[in-house]
Amino acid sequence: MTTCPFPGLSRSLVPAGPVSFSQVCEIMPVGVMTCDLATFTIDYANRYSIELLHSIRDTLKIDPDAIIGTSIDVFHKVPAHQRALLSDTARLPHKTRIRFGDEWLDLHIHPLPEPGGRVSRALLVWAIATAEVLKEQEEYRLLRMIDDMPVAVMTVDPATYLITYLNETSKRTLGQIEAHLPIQADALLGASIDVFHKHPAHQRKLLADPANLPHRARIKLGPEVLDLQASAVTGTDGAYLGPMLTWSIVTKQVAAEARIQQLAHYDTLTGLANRTTFREHLEALLAPAQAALGLLFIDLDGFKIVNDSNGHLVGDALLKRVADRLRERCDRPGIVVARLGGDEFAIVVPGGEIAALEAFAASLIDALVAPYQIEAERRLQVGASIGIALAPVHGSDPETLLARADMALYSAKAAGKRTFRLFVPNMETRLHERLRLEAKLRHALEADEGLFLFYQPITDVRTRKVTAREGLIRWHHPVRGWISPGEFIPVAEESGLIREIGDWVIRRACRDAAAWEDQARVAVNVSPRQLGIGTLAPAVLGALVASGLPPDRLEIEVTESALLGDEQDALADLRRVRDMGVRVALDDFGTGFSSLAHLRAFPFDKIKIDGSFVQDAVRRPDCAAIVRVVADLGHRLGVTTVAEGVETEAHLDLVVAEGCTEVQGFLLGRPAPSASDIPLIAALTEAFAVRPAA
């Protein structure tokens, strides 16, 4: 029987019978070696040890077959440390890992006591652990990566619902909301997941079944909002190991999302529903067949003047007050209020009773007309016009209802404003007629057919000499005959044709005036839409060059209301024109806002007193006083004053007595065409007069 190489081992470990312990070691699937602690040399190595050493011989740099008698130092980069460890048997047993190139060895060192307790040898049991080491390293790297992730990660035991892991981000982030947790952030490891949910039973049921995962939810803890996503973690065999929770604080993001939602669906200024949201509401309310409702389309009367004369900040404040009054009046179930843009609002009212809707519209107008206290010393007032359309009578889709309510609103405006109108079919007819009128006017302008200038003289009161003539546009419609400017000018204003018409008037007036033998000046009115856009000066220059008319024989007339928009840009346009030598007159003086401020802001050459003051001055001392004050103001400023609307001798005597220098009106001359246009106008008038009735 072979002697056991490990005399210190218990005899119970040694197989009985003829098989020796060394034979057992030879077939063991681990490396077994013994080391003499006196010389630190290897005095036994089993066969598996030799095979393992052959697998790492390139990094070991010894002959594995000659390992017996070799120093133990070959297995350690710091031999002194290893020898110190082996010398102190109190530190044994000991486990360590040793790296050889790409391979890792797991080494277990045990003392081998002899009879009597003396230890002179050590048992070394080892195996290559490279795969296990790599797995552990991968797990370590993964753990470090999870720890460094910018989102919080936790794992939960699905049996106990206790938190089994928190990454570093979890700890930091939870520290920010610790005041809203029932437990301190440092104590969460091992705590129940219930601390994050108001309904623990629901949460536990969710996490217990991987079929419910992944699942996403937002949880509110105090003022903070957590975005939580639970995912299922499974083993290599597919078994459910438990949930992994990733989460982050999204309070600011939620607030931003709410803000974006607000901006997308509600008007930023008033907080009312915007056009998109209103249309969605209207579409939903119209979805049921034969749904009955009323649509009110509201436009503020005089808002533009208030906004332009007081500034946009005041205008915005006024719109907010209007919205508040609409909310107050419409605080009833089912009513939807919206701001469609600018000073336009819309209201949907359930039910289609005409009398009730008209009474409601009248009450809204009364509410909106009342003065608004915008600032401590600023009270403003606007009116309101309302168009009403009914569903399903006037339409069963949003586009049709809105279009017909808009037509009714247009009719209310035309009726004098501050009133309401219910849509009737002939409104659509009138709209189509207006569109046809616009098309005919556009054609007349493009073809230069049917448009004429009539000229009314402006006379010096002392010499009774004509000093200027004002050009007034007239239009002969091919079917309707002569159409009043009061009808087609608003169409031109709304369609944008007024700018082209204004340029045409300047060109024609300069051409006609160049042929006048008396060398009188020609005056043309400029629309507010021609000012402030930088096109007036080029149009004037082109007309002067083409006609050869001296600049000082052209007068540009603007009303005060034309200066209420972009005043600085408008005045800049007028300065460019005046720098050419063209005269500039302020028309309809006294009917607008901040008249004296306009006189101070621009050196007008002429002030025209509105005819309403002149005609009333004969019987009203206050109007006579206004004429006198303006005439005196013009005299002091060195500016010509023209009294408009002089139709009787009494009018003439009064304005002369009050100090006006020039007059204009039917008494001294009615508008008449230029000499070159008289034959054509006569032919058109005669042809239309004998035309058979349609």
Side-chain angles (χ1 to χ4, degrees):
M1 181 176 179
T2 306
T3 304
C4 177
F6 314 132
L9 294 179
S10 168
R11 294 301 299 175
S12 62
L13 297 178
V14 181
V19 180
S20 68
F21 190 75
S22 61
Q23 289 175 314
V24 173
C25 290
E26 289 301 317
I27 63 173
M28 289 179 67
V30 294
V32 179
M33 296 187 298
T34 58
C35 173
D36 186 327
L37 297 181
T39 61
F40 297 105
T41 56
I42 298 170
D43 56 10
Y44 172 77
N46 70 346
R47 184 175 56 197
Y48 195 77
S49 291
I50 304 301
E51 292 175 359
L52 290 178
L53 292 175
H54 271 287
S55 69
I56 59 172
R57 66 178 300 165
D58 291 341
T59 54
L60 193 61
K61 296 183 180 179
I62 63 167
D63 183 1
D65 296 325
I67 193 66
I68 304 298
T70 301
S71 171
I72 193 67
D73 296 346
V74 297
F75 293 106
H76 209 285
K77 292 182 179 180
V78 189
H81 171 73
Q82 183 171 259
R83 290 191 176 203
L85 175 69
L86 294 173
S87 299
D88 186 2
T89 57
R91 298 169 62 185
L92 303 180
H94 177 73
K95 179 181 178 181
T96 186
R97 270 187 178 152
I98 303 173
R99 185 173 183 177
F100 289 91
D102 294 332
E103 303 289 354
W104 287 83
L105 273 63
D106 258 349
L107 178 62
H108 296 259
I109 305 174
H110 298 269
L112 288 176
E114 299 175 356
R118 180 175 176 270
V119 178
S120 61
R121 304 171 74 204
L123 174 69
L124 287 73
V125 181
W126 58 281
I128 293 179
T130 302
E132 181 182 347
V133 169
L134 291 176
K135 180 180 178 182
E136 290 176 356
Q137 289 177 338
E138 183 64 27
E139 291 175 350
Y140 176 74
R141 284 195 296 270
L142 180 60
L143 191 62
R144 286 296 303 273
M145 184 175 68
I146 294 174
D147 269 343
D148 293 338
M149 285 176 66
V151 294
V153 179
M154 295 188 298
T155 57
V156 178
D157 186 329
T160 62
Y161 300 100
L162 300 180
I163 299 169
T164 56
Y165 169 76
L166 295 91
N167 70 343
E168 291 301 318
T169 305
S170 286
K171 297 170 186 174
R172 288 193 303 269
T173 310
L174 288 171
Q176 300 174 28
I177 59 171
E178 191 173 59
H180 310 295
L181 294 172
I183 187 173
Q184 290 186 342
D186 292 340
L188 278 169
L189 189 62
S192 172
I193 194 67
D194 296 347
V195 298
F196 291 102
H197 211 286
K198 293 180 179 179
H199 307 286
H202 169 74
Q203 181 172 253
R204 290 189 173 210
K205 183 178 179 181
L206 178 74
L207 298 179
D209 186 356
N212 297 327
L213 305 178
H215 176 76
R216 188 169 186 174
R218 278 184 171 166
I219 300 172
K220 191 169 179 63
L221 292 176
E224 303 292 351
V225 180
L226 276 61
D227 190 48
L228 174 67
Q229 180 161 332
S231 306
V233 179
T234 58
T236 55
D237 58 355
Y240 180 47
L241 302 179
M244 180 177 73
L245 285 71
T246 57
W247 56 276
S248 57
I249 297 176
V250 293
T251 309
K252 292 182 179 178
Q253 178 183 337
V254 169
E257 290 172 356
R259 178 62 176 160
I260 292 171
Q261 189 77 357
Q262 177 76 15
L263 292 174
H265 292 88
Y266 294 91
D267 176 53
T268 55
L269 178 65
T270 64
L272 297 175
N274 61 16
R275 180 182 289 272
T276 301
T277 302
F278 180 76
R279 191 187 181 285
E280 291 172 355
H281 280 301
L282 183 56
E283 197 168 39
L285 291 170
L286 290 170
Q290 299 300 305
L293 57 84
L295 173 61
L296 279 65
F297 203 151
I298 305 171
D299 184 80
L300 301 181
D301 302 326
F303 174 77
K304 185 179 187 306
I305 293 177
V306 171
N307 189 54
D308 291 344
S309 59
N310 292 277
H312 295 301
L313 291 178
V314 173
D316 287 349
L318 177 59
L319 289 174
K320 291 178 183 178
R321 302 291 195 283
V322 169
D324 290 341
R325 290 188 186 180
L326 289 176
R327 279 195 198 90
E328 182 180 350
R329 290 281 174 169
C330 300
D331 188 17
R332 299 192 321 224
I335 295 183
V336 180
V337 187
R339 181 188 177 209
L340 302 185
D343 60 340
E344 293 181 340
F345 298 84
I347 301 173
V348 173
V349 182
E353 299 81 6
I354 294 177
L357 286 170
E358 290 182 337
F360 182 50
S363 71
L364 288 176
I365 292 173
D366 290 341
L368 297 178
V369 165
Y372 297 83
Q373 191 73 42
I374 301 300
E375 297 170 353
E377 298 181 357
R378 194 190 297 265
R379 282 167 64 86
L380 300 175
Q381 192 167 12
V382 292
S385 299
I386 300 178
I388 307 172
L390 307 175
V393 179
H394 300 143
S396 55
D397 62 89
E399 289 78 10
T400 302
L401 273 183
L402 282 167
R404 290 180 170 172
D406 191 21
M407 294 176 201
L409 172 62
Y410 184 84
S411 179
K413 291 277 191 182
K417 304 180 181 180
R418 293 198 179 188
T419 187
F420 64 85
R421 286 291 183 270
L422 179 69
F423 173 80
V424 291
N426 70 350
M427 290 179 182
E428 201 157 22
T429 303
R430 288 200 299 269
L431 174 64
H432 292 156
E433 176 58 33
R434 188 181 71 83
L435 293 175
R436 285 193 292 269
L437 191 68
E438 177 189 330
K440 286 292 185 182
L441 181 59
R442 190 181 299 276
H443 173 75
L445 188 62
E446 292 172 352
D448 196 10
E449 295 177 353
L451 292 174
F452 302 93
L453 280 186
F454 281 40
Y455 296 94
Q456 184 175 32
I458 301 172
T459 306
D460 185 287
V461 297
R462 292 184 299 104
T463 65
R464 299 298 173 97
K465 177 183 176 181
V466 174
T467 59
R469 296 180 181 89
E470 181 179 356
L472 304 169
I473 191 167
R474 297 292 184 263
W475 179 30
H476 188 275
H477 190 280
V479 177
R480 294 175 53 189
W482 293 105
I483 296 179
S484 166
E487 182 178 353
F488 72 81
I489 290 298
V491 173
E493 292 277 1
E494 292 175 13
S495 65
L497 284 174
I498 194 65
R499 293 177 184 170
E500 297 176 50
I501 289 176
D503 291 347
W504 180 90
V505 168
I506 293 173
R507 291 195 303 271
R508 178 61 61 87
C510 289
R511 188 194 73 180
D512 290 346
W516 294 343
E517 294 181 0
D518 61 3
Q519 300 295 300
R521 293 185 296 273
V522 65
V524 295
N525 289 283
V526 171
S527 165
R529 293 180 181 268
Q530 292 175 264
L531 289 175
I533 56 175
T535 60
L536 180 62
V540 168
L541 180 61
L544 292 173
V545 171
S547 65
L549 184 74
D552 62 353
R553 287 188 58 202
L554 175 63
E555 289 183 354
I556 296 295
E557 294 186 2
V558 295
T559 61
E560 290 182 279
S561 59
L563 303 176
L564 294 178
D566 297 322
E567 181 177 347
Q568 295 305 316
D569 291 338
L571 291 177
D573 276 354
L574 294 178
R575 289 190 183 95
R576 293 188 189 100
V577 170
R578 198 169 188 275
D579 288 343
M580 298 178 192
V582 175
R583 293 164 60 89
V584 180
L586 184 60
D587 197 11
D588 298 337
F589 185 77
T591 61
F593 294 83
S594 307
S595 304
L596 296 179
H598 290 143
L599 290 177
R600 185 177 62 178
F602 187 84
F604 290 98
D605 299 288
K606 180 182 289 187
I607 299 174
K608 301 186 75 173
I609 304 171
D610 188 69
S612 61
F613 293 107
V614 173
Q615 293 174 2
D616 289 342
V618 175
R619 57 185 179 83
R620 290 182 54 178
D622 56 338
C623 290
I626 292 174
V627 173
R628 184 185 315 119
V629 168
V630 176
D632 184 61
L633 178 63
H635 176 72
R636 292 176 182 274
L637 293 175
V639 175
T640 301
T641 54
V642 181
E644 297 180 296
V646 175
E647 299 181 354
T648 67
E649 290 290 346
H651 294 156
L652 179 61
D653 292 341
L654 184 140
V655 297
V656 171
E658 298 297 355
C660 294
T661 53
E662 294 182 349
V663 294
Q664 180 180 358
F666 288 174
L667 178 66
L668 298 178
R670 291 177 176 269
S674 64
S676 60
D677 285 337
I678 290 176
L680 177 58
I681 290 174
L684 288 172
T685 304
E686 181 180 357
F688 191 81
V690 300
R691 183 175 180 173

